[in-house]
Amino acid sequence: MTEKTLSSTPAFVIGDFVRVKDGTHQEGMPTSRMGHIQNYVSSTRLYNQKGVTVSHRDQYYVFMTNGVTLKFHEMFLEHVDEEG
């Protein structure tokens, strides 16, 4: 069994700087809508011939710029590049 990543699915990793997409509301979100991926909400362990493979799911804890940690599905997040 191989794990396939769809091209339309963004690959977020811990530490990525992200922005919550416009139109998404969450209590406690700062006006900048920006934060860092802090952790995965949960993960899946796959047991196979290669051993144990841990893959993340599609929800993330985001440490926002106002110091609040919020949970978002990846469809509501977008990467922030160097230009903002």
Side-chain angles (χ1 to χ4, degrees), residues 3 7-8 15 20 34-35 38-39 43 50 69 71-72 74 79 84:
E3 186 175 329
S7 60
S8 62
V20 179
M34 295 182 164
Q38 187 176 40
N39 207 347
S43 60
K50 297 178 183 177
T69 300
K71 180 173 74 170
F72 292 99
E74 66 184 8
H79 284 106

Side-chain angles (χ1 to χ4, degrees), residues 42-53:
S42 62
S43 60
T44 302
R45 294 185 189 281
L46 304 173
Y47 298 91
N48 53 38
Q49 300 89 336
K50 297 178 183 177
V52 180
T53 304

